[in-house]
Amino acid sequence: MSHVALKPPRAAEKMIGVLDLQGDVLEHLDHIERIGIPARPVKQAGDFDNLAGLILPGGESTCLARLLRIFSLDKIIIRKFHEGMKLWGTCAGAILLAKSIVGEAPHLGLIDIEVERNSFGSQLDSFASEVSIPKLSAAPIPMTFIRAPKILGVGEGVDVLLRMGDFIAAAESPDVLVTAFHPELTPSLAFHRYFARKCGLQPGRDKTDMDPPWDRTSWMRLARITL
Ligand code: GLN
């Protein structure tokens, strides 16, 4: 996608990147921009400069993993992670970050969780829900699961942020956040704020966890798309 017309950051300003290979790139950039943090699509080595954190969006993990390898971005992500860059994987992004995937070899393997892909069934078994996570927000947090994985278990050093019945929907280590669902497809900014703070950045506009004028197509202004 060649799309984004975000504000140019000031020199050396720390920012959050969104891996721009496939999936919800614009929607994540939109949410990061809404909390007042500079954001940038990331698709080549030079895009990693000044990143405090990187979001790996949802999409299709086999496809994303192949593109990561083809463009050697996997090696750069692992190196930058060891240099201090924080990571957040949503859905397929969480699968890429998992140390263990049922029936498959892991990809980046940067957080000690076990995931099972497509664990709820087909695309038709996608669903929306709402939860309360007091650590993140006083307001209820809407969630969208799209052919999502289940996080089956977490290893040492990984905390469960959200358990739902027989599976874990969100977890974190000190340096990596994973969500099986898609906060960028909802009006809630709570997870984006949480990740920004994890990156050592201070999100603005703290009065509300929801952005009232949000609508499903709000990200279109980033792509300069008009209906
Ligand atoms: N089903 C996809 C996979 O296993 C993930 C779907 C998503 O990211 N919404 O890679």
Side-chain angles (χ1 to χ4, degrees):
M1 280 188 278
S2 58
H3 44 245
V4 179
L6 295 171
K7 272 185 295 195
R10 289 193 300 275
E13 192 173 20
K14 285 287 181 192
M15 52 198 315
I16 292 180
V18 181
L19 184 68
D20 184 8
L21 297 177
Q22 189 217 25
D24 297 341
V25 181
L26 290 173
E27 295 85 342
H28 273 299
L29 289 170
D30 178 61
H31 273 47
I32 296 293
E33 201 196 32
R34 281 169 184 277
I35 59 170
I37 303 275
R40 170 201 290 151
V42 171
K43 55 165 47 158
Q44 54 194 8
D47 299 335
F48 286 83
D49 291 348
N50 300 323
L51 289 192
L54 177 71
I55 298 176
L56 286 73
E60 211 284 327
S61 54
T62 312
C63 171
L64 282 163
R66 290 187 71 166
L67 291 171
L68 281 179
R69 273 198 305 278
I70 289 167
F71 297 112
S72 297
L73 293 171
D74 50 353
K75 292 190 190 73
I76 303 178
I77 292 173
I78 292 170
R79 177 165 54 79
K80 289 285 178 183
F81 172 73
H82 289 301
E83 288 170 9
M85 182 181 74
K86 310 291 185 205
L87 295 167
W88 174 19
T90 53
C91 203
I95 296 168
L96 293 176
L97 290 169
K99 274 209 171 134
S100 167
I101 306 172
V102 174
E104 284 181 33
H107 303 294
L108 298 168
L110 296 174
I111 181 167
D112 194 359
I113 58 170
E114 182 180 44
V115 297
E116 183 175 59
R117 294 179 63 196
N118 306 326
S119 202
F120 297 91
S122 79
Q123 196 80 1
L124 295 176
D125 300 302
S126 300
F127 62 98
S129 184
E130 195 174 75
V131 283
S132 164
I133 312 179
K135 188 173 177 185
L136 265 75
S137 170
I141 299 179
M143 294 182 301
T144 303
F145 292 80
I146 304 173
R147 209 173 185 212
K150 283 183 182 174
I151 302 171
L152 300 179
V154 303
E156 217 172 299
V158 179
D159 292 328
V160 172
L161 273 173
L162 177 62
R163 187 181 288 279
M164 298 175 75
D166 71 338
F167 71 99
I168 295 160
E172 65 174 344
S173 67
D175 302 312
V176 182
L177 175 64
V178 281
T179 53
F181 49 93
H182 293 266
E184 76 285 1
L185 296 180
T186 77
S188 173
L189 300 171
F191 268 94
H192 291 79
R193 284 211 174 93
Y194 188 71
F195 182 60
R197 287 194 290 267
K198 202 172 173 70
C199 294
L201 303 174
Q202 191 47 57
R205 303 186 218 167
D206 259 326
K207 286 196 194 75
T208 172
D209 285 325
M210 295 282 184
D211 200 349
W214 185 89
D215 74 80
R216 214 167 265 282
T217 58
S218 65
W219 48 266
M220 286 178 147
R221 75 183 188 283
L222 296 172
R224 298 206 170 122
I225 294 170
T226 44
L227 287 176

